[in-house]
């Protein structure tokens, strides 16, 4: 640059020849400013991308040149920009519906319609709760782990529902069905190992698919309630009748035992009496036979009168049976006493 030109440029005047060297000197400060701005922007960009934050219910995956590493501690962390990348995973409990839409509660028959073990159709809605247990596997073990969980859940649901009758699905077997489905899903997730953990699965609703079938099920439930009512009434009647029947049975048993004791005692007494009579019979057989004959005749014919006819045909002497056996303590009348004496004489005469 010439001295005149430099002086004129310094004083703010243009040179006469157009100042060919002036534009080159004016570009140097602008380039420096632009470079400084670029450096500042790059520094800010690098500073902004070198730090990341993990919340309480999150986990992160730090990717360094394609190698994944889990970062589980919450708080502020740093990374190398452009070399390391971070992908975050929500570890809170989440869920999805099977058989219906959570937004408008609309039924999805492709998922809800199932068949039971007794060949009945039924609509069953489920809600599945899950959480990501391993962020690295959740991101890289499969392309769509949530779709895998949904497919496994539907498969297990249909398998378990198909092994239960429709009454259990509608009423009393829901808890058992839920537990069976949960166990089956957990086993399959363990085999798949996709980084998702099943928290719970619940039956939201179960009902027949059509109005006609629903009415038929209502009729069946009404019949079951009638059956339960009849059973309850029968049990009530049984509980009322059993105590009285037991009391009667106890009374009959006690009466039988009393009769048994009485008859045993009576038989024992008869045996003792027979033994006593036999002992007397051994001592005096003839007298005992006569006494037994008289006693028997007295029992058979209590009003019997004995008439003794003598060898001469005299039938005037009459002997009452009581005079021989001593069964009547009354004294004989005068008419009978005299003949007794005469009969003794007559009998003695006959005997001679």
């Amino acid at each position: 640059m010439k001295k005149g030109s430099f002086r004129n440029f310094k004083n703010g005047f243009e040179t006469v020849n157009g100042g060919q060297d002036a534009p080159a000197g004016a570009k140097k400060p602008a380039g420096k400013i632009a470079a400084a701005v670029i450096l500042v922007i790059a520094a800010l960009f690098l500073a902004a991308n070198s730090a990341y934050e993990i919340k309480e219910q999150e986990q992160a995956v730090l990717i360094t040149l394609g190698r994944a590493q889990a970062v589980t501690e919450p708080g502020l962390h740093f990374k190398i920009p452009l070399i390391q990348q971070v992908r975050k995973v929500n570890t809170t409990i989440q869920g999805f519906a099977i058989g219906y839409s959570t937004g408008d509660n609309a039924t999805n028959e492709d998922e809800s319609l199932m068949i039971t073990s007794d060949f009945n159709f039924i609509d069953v809605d489920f809600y599945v709760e899950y959480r990501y247990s391993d962020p690295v596997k959740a991101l890289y073990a499969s392309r769509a782990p949530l779709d895998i969980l949904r497919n496994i859940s539907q498969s297990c649901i249909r398998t378990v529902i198909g092994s239960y009758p429709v009454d259990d699905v509608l009423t009393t077997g829901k808890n058992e069905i839920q537990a069976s489905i949960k166990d089956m899903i957990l086993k399959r997730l363990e085999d798949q190992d996709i980084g998702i953990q099943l928290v719970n699965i619940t039956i939201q609703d179960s009902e027949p698919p059509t109005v006609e079938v629903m009415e038929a099920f209502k009729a069946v439930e009404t019949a079951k309630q009638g059956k339960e009512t009849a059973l309850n009434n029968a049990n009530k009647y049984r509980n009322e009748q059993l105590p009285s029947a037991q009391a009667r049975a106890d009374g009959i048993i006690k009466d039988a035992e009393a009769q048994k004791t009485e008859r045993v005692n009576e038989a024992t007494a008869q045996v003792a009496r027979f033994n006593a009579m036999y002992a007397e019979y051994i001592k005096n057989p003839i007298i005992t036979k006569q006494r037994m004959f008289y006693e028997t005749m007295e029992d058979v014919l209590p009003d019997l009168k004995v008439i003794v006819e003598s060898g001469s045909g005299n039938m005037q002497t009459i002997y009452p049976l009581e005079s021989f056996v001593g069964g009547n303590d009354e004294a004989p009348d005068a008419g009978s006493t005299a003949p007794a004496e005469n009969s003794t004489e007559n009998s003695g005469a006959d005997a001679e």
Side-chain angles (χ1 to χ4, degrees):
M1 181 184 293
K2 297 180 180 180
K3 295 181 180 180
S5 298
F6 179 76
R7 186 181 298 112
N8 291 335
F9 178 78
K10 184 178 181 182
N11 293 329
F13 298 100
E14 295 181 358
T15 59
V16 177
N17 58 2
Q20 296 179 357
D21 297 332
K27 290 180 180 178
K28 290 181 179 180
K32 293 180 180 180
I33 294 173
V37 171
I38 292 173
L39 291 175
V40 170
I41 293 174
L44 292 175
F45 175 78
L46 294 175
N49 287 274
S50 63
Y52 61 95
E53 182 184 3
I54 300 178
K55 297 181 180 180
E56 189 69 26
Q57 300 296 332
E58 289 181 342
Q59 291 184 5
V61 177
L62 183 63
I63 306 169
T64 305
L65 299 176
R67 181 180 179 183
Q69 179 182 0
V71 181
T72 59
E73 296 181 359
L76 186 64
H77 299 268
F78 296 93
K79 66 174 183 173
I80 302 174
L82 303 179
I83 297 178
Q84 292 181 326
Q85 296 178 357
V86 176
R87 296 183 65 180
K88 297 180 181 179
V89 176
N90 185 4
T91 57
T92 58
I93 296 177
Q94 306 176 63
F96 58 86
I98 296 178
Y100 70 101
S101 175
T102 56
D104 54 0
N105 249 357
T107 301
N108 185 357
E109 291 188 354
D110 293 337
E111 296 179 351
S112 64
L113 187 60
M114 305 177 192
I115 187 169
T116 59
S117 63
D118 50 359
F119 305 104
N120 285 301
F121 288 97
I122 188 171
D123 280 331
V124 188
D125 300 333
F126 288 86
Y127 189 79
V128 180
E129 295 177 299
Y130 68 94
R131 61 181 295 270
Y132 291 103
S133 58
D134 191 330
V136 176
K137 292 180 180 179
L139 292 176
Y140 297 104
S142 62
R143 289 186 176 181
L146 194 58
D147 292 340
I148 295 176
L149 176 60
R150 179 183 289 272
N151 293 334
I152 290 176
S153 300
Q154 291 184 7
S155 175
C156 295
I157 287 171
R158 293 185 181 278
T159 301
V160 174
I161 292 294
S163 62
Y164 281 85
V166 66
D167 292 338
D168 292 344
V169 180
L170 288 173
T171 55
T172 59
K174 291 184 178 180
N175 293 331
E176 184 178 352
I177 291 173
Q178 291 175 173
S180 300
I181 294 174
K182 184 176 180 180
D183 293 339
M184 188 178 295
I185 295 175
L186 289 174
K187 291 179 180 178
R188 293 194 180 182
L189 285 178
E190 185 179 356
D191 296 336
Q192 295 292 331
D193 195 18
I194 56 176
I196 290 184
Q197 177 185 0
L198 178 68
V199 177
N200 196 16
I201 182 169
T202 55
I203 297 177
Q204 299 297 308
D205 191 16
S206 59
E207 60 182 7
T210 61
V211 178
E212 293 79 5
V213 177
M214 188 179 298
E215 293 297 329
F217 276 110
K218 289 182 179 179
V220 172
E221 290 299 323
T222 302
K224 287 183 178 179
Q225 293 177 1
K227 173 186 175 182
E228 294 295 331
T229 302
L231 287 175
N232 293 334
N233 293 333
N235 291 331
K236 179 181 177 182
Y237 178 77
R238 181 189 64 182
N239 295 332
E240 291 176 352
Q241 295 297 322
L242 278 179
S244 58
Q246 189 65 37
R248 291 194 298 269
D250 293 340
I252 294 173
I253 292 174
K254 290 181 180 179
D255 291 341
E257 291 178 352
Q259 292 181 7
K260 170 187 173 182
T261 303
E262 181 180 356
R263 292 188 178 185
V264 169
N265 295 335
E266 182 179 357
T268 303
Q270 291 179 357
V271 170
R273 179 183 177 187
F274 178 80
N275 290 332
M277 292 175 61
Y278 182 74
E280 294 296 329
Y281 174 80
I282 294 300
K283 296 178 181 178
N284 299 300
I286 297 176
I287 297 175
T288 302
K289 285 181 179 180
Q290 292 178 352
R291 182 173 62 82
M292 291 176 65
F293 173 76
Y294 294 148
E295 289 178 353
T296 302
M297 294 302 295
E298 183 180 13
D299 293 337
V300 175
L301 300 172
D303 298 331
L304 176 65
K305 299 295 181 180
V306 179
I307 301 174
V308 179
E309 180 181 2
S310 62
S312 60
N314 186 7
M315 299 180 60
Q316 295 180 359
T317 303
I318 299 175
Y319 292 91
L321 184 62
E322 292 83 356
S323 60
F324 292 95
V325 299
N328 191 358
D329 295 336
E330 295 179 356
D333 53 2
S336 62
T337 302
E341 295 176 354
N342 295 328
S343 64
T344 303
E345 297 175 356
N346 294 330
S347 63
D350 295 339
E352 293 177 356

